[in-house]
Amino acid sequence: MEAAPPLASSQSRFFSSSFSTSSSPSSTPFILHRNFHRTNLKFKSRTLSIRCSGAADNVVTLLDYGAGNVRSVRNAIRFLGFDIKDVQTPEDILNANCLIFPGVGAFAAAMDVLNKKGMAEALCTYIENDRPFLGICLGLQLLFESSEENGPVRGLGLIPGVVGRFDSTNGFRVPHIGWNALHTVKDSEILDDIGNRHVYFVHSYRAMPSNDNKEWVSSTCNYGDNFIASVRRGNVHAVQFHPEKSGDVGLSILRRFLYPKSSTTKKPGEGRASKLAKRVIACLDVRTNDKGDLVVTKGDQYDVRENTGENEVRNLGKPVELAGQYYIDGADEVSFLNITGFRDFPLGDLPMLEILRYTSENVFVPLTVGGGIRDFTDANGRYYSSLEVASEYFRSGADKISIGSDAVYAAEEYIRTGVKTGKTSLEQISRVYGNQAVVVSIDPRRVYVNAPDDIEFKAVRVTNPGPNGEEYAWYQCTVNGGREGRPIGAYELAKAVEELGAGEILLNCIDCDGQGKGFDIDLIKLISDAVSIPVIASSGAGVVEHFSEVFKKTNASAALAAGIFHRKEVPIQSVKEHLLETGIEVRM
Ligand code: 1PR
């Protein structure tokens, strides 16, 4: 077992952080009781002399070639008490003592930058000299000979094999998003602690184990194919998953890399390949209340105002504090929805960006943020593209962005013309950040009809007939927080946005929102059967049984809830324990 790093500057800052998103002077300081102490207890004390040599001065060299967002990796490194030196030149790679390469973006674009800047050669030299290296995600894939992503494209060629796309024809949703346990095939040292615990993946491409690369492969994972989850040779490690987003387990992997063992290695931990775990997501609807404070609110069929004389915005807590608590409680993801983003320009809404920055410093599971992602011209005539808005969210700590209203307009136009212009927010953001980073949030409302032919949109037979005995319903999409119904159904929208580049669908239902009577199974089945990207079931969770019901009756990949978590009616752990008891795999 390894030592935890000493309480370094970032952690001192962390423990004394007093950021509050409320302007109220009486607000209690935000101190996230992250399990630093708990984690600490798992590691025996060791001396600094056995750190990876580059970490001896608490500095990790980071190869960020500027193609995407590596803020999460930075946050995790800092959380573990290290400073970061950014690679500027090939010499910085050659002089590094401990190098982390969190590849982001597309394979071809990354190789292009590495070749143009002379960094490809430096990286090969560094790795061939067995210097301490950790590649993450694309940082693993680039070590292989080539990739089929927009290719074939040549890689660094250090590991035999070709990186190919997951096959979605056999029913597996691509991208592969979520938590899996690993099958450890040889000692990898950095994975020694993880055993059967899950780590977070998000990718559409993967490398496969073969006889030619077996000296490298340290663990595999099964997702339709048996693919390479990690490689290790000497001091060189790379992982397909995201340790910086894998909660405690991920931090322990990073810690083991930064504090490698000095001598003998231990037997690999028991690891077995698992199915993709179902995710439990906590959602925070955020908006400014009438006093000007940014608060977590919660609607009742999207109405977030109290039924009192003052009619004030319901206030269920402070965003950063609640997000931190849900991370501790075991949420697999945290979503922020800036629910008035459709009328307030999000880049003018700096507190929302602050919320992301502070949350991402201490929350090491994926963070999604939505609200107001669209092209915008401000009062001074300055034009901002939706890509700029999304980029600001990513830079501030989001791992995924979620688009609501703008995706509806894009889908309507695409269905009308049959043309992909490449200019919609959806297309632009998924092209730059990858479709796994783009969620489309659908806000449909049930509309009952007597027969499916009564309406041009896809209607389903409903489990509970409508008020006049109607046996069918279609699900009308809305924009602007449910305020305006649009001439498009959730089914048509879901299929269109998948084609336009969405990587995941957050499927709300206005009728069920805040009702606590269960998810709309008819709707979720309709959509999760219609698309091959992951679908997050949302709206209506009231008891733990609602979660097992949605996973048993539909193909949803994740279930999201808000009210029951905010009001502390059902703890996240109870949901997970119940799912496990009913035979549904979850991350514990
Ligand atoms: O249109 O791109 O600006 O995005 C706006 C985003 O804000 C959309 O994702 C939209 O869903 C969300 N939004 C807008 N208005 C509201 C509102 O409530 N008045 N919230 C709103 C949507 C719904 C869920 C909720 C679940 C679970 N929130 O995310 O968290 O229904 O709730 P429950 O477990 O309590 O039933 P754009």
Side-chain angles (χ1 to χ4, degrees), residues 282-285 287 297-304 335-343 370-374 402-407 440-443 478-483 506-510 512-516 519 538-542 560-567:
C283 181
L284 295 89
D285 290 349
R287 63 161 286 168
T297 188
K298 183 66 214 67
D300 185 357
Q301 298 186 325
Y302 282 35
D303 179 0
V304 298
S335 292
F336 289 111
L337 295 176
N338 186 355
I339 67 170
T340 48
F342 70 91
R343 61 166 179 245
I373 296 178
R374 64 186 193 284
S402 146
I403 308 175
S405 308
D406 210 44
V440 165
S441 166
I442 311 184
D443 299 312
T478 65
V479 293
N480 300 346
R483 286 168 181 79
L506 164 54
L507 186 56
N508 304 296
C509 177
I510 296 179
C512 297
D513 176 57
Q515 303 305 295
F519 296 97
S538 167
S539 306
L560 172 150
I564 54 167
F565 297 150
H566 302 335
R567 295 187 299 268

Side-chain angles (χ1 to χ4, degrees), residues 458-481:
K458 178 90 172 172
V460 285
R461 186 184 279 276
V462 283
T463 311
N464 300 313
N468 303 312
E470 299 95 333
E471 291 189 352
Y472 290 85
W474 71 287
Y475 289 88
Q476 182 182 21
C477 292
T478 65
V479 293
N480 300 346

Side-chain angles (χ1 to χ4, degrees), residues 302-584:
Y302 282 35
D303 179 0
V304 298
R305 292 199 173 263
E306 301 278 16
N307 245 342
T308 58
E310 275 106 51
N311 211 19
E312 69 271 35
V313 171
R314 208 167 279 129
N315 180 349
L316 292 170
K318 294 175 189 151
V320 182
E321 201 168 291
L322 273 183
Q325 189 58 50
Y326 293 146
Y327 168 57
I328 292 169
D329 294 347
D332 297 316
E333 273 178 51
V334 174
S335 292
F336 289 111
L337 295 176
N338 186 355
I339 67 170
T340 48
F342 70 91
R343 61 166 179 245
D344 310 323
F345 180 47
L347 297 191
D349 196 356
L350 292 174
M352 189 66 211
L353 300 177
E354 286 281 272
I355 284 174
L356 272 176
R357 287 187 198 114
Y358 279 88
T359 303
S360 64
E361 280 175 15
N362 300 300
V363 171
F364 298 103
V365 291
L367 287 177
T368 302
V369 65
I373 296 178
R374 64 186 193 284
D375 295 345
F376 187 85
T377 304
D378 71 13
N380 303 321
R382 157 100 209 257
Y383 168 79
Y384 297 85
S385 71
S386 54
L387 183 60
E388 282 176 82
V389 180
S391 299
E392 199 52 45
Y393 273 150
F394 284 124
R395 268 195 292 275
S396 302
D399 300 290
K400 301 190 250 184
I401 55 89
S402 146
I403 308 175
S405 308
D406 210 44
V408 177
Y409 302 127
E412 285 178 15
E413 189 65 7
Y414 175 53
I415 291 169
R416 196 178 62 75
T417 61
V419 177
K420 288 186 199 170
T421 62
K423 292 185 179 149
T424 63
S425 53
L426 197 48
E427 292 165 283
Q428 289 190 53
I429 300 165
S430 60
R431 192 165 52 243
V432 173
Y433 288 95
N435 61 356
Q436 79 290 337
V438 181
V439 182
V440 165
S441 166
I442 311 184
D443 299 312
R445 187 176 272 123
R446 207 183 299 134
V447 183
Y448 291 103
V449 287
N450 288 316
D453 294 343
D454 287 358
I455 183 79
E456 62 184 293
F457 306 109
K458 178 90 172 172
V460 285
R461 186 184 279 276
V462 283
T463 311
N464 300 313
N468 303 312
E470 299 95 333
E471 291 189 352
Y472 290 85
W474 71 287
Y475 289 88
Q476 182 182 21
C477 292
T478 65
V479 293
N480 300 346
R483 286 168 181 79
E484 181 190 339
R486 297 295 304 179
I488 182 169
Y491 175 87
E492 289 76 19
L493 180 89
K495 289 183 84 68
V497 297
E498 178 177 20
E499 286 182 39
L500 289 172
E504 197 169 28
I505 285 173
L506 164 54
L507 186 56
N508 304 296
C509 177
I510 296 179
D511 308 82
C512 297
D513 176 57
Q515 303 305 295
K517 294 183 183 153
F519 296 97
D520 189 321
I521 301 294
D522 301 324
L523 168 67
I524 296 159
K525 191 163 165 18
L526 171 72
I527 303 303
S528 61
D529 287 346
V531 295
S532 63
I533 52 179
V535 172
I536 302 167
S538 167
S539 306
V543 291
V544 293
E545 287 77 11
H546 291 151
F547 290 84
S548 49
E549 182 189 28
V550 77
F551 289 134
K552 291 213 158 130
K553 294 188 176 167
T554 77
N555 285 315
S557 301
L560 172 150
I564 54 167
F565 297 150
H566 302 335
R567 295 187 299 268
K568 303 191 179 6
E569 290 163 5
V570 179
I572 294 172
Q573 273 310 309
S574 306
V575 174
K576 292 194 156 185
E577 280 160 19
H578 167 75
L579 290 172
L580 266 188
E581 280 162 18
T582 52
I584 295 166

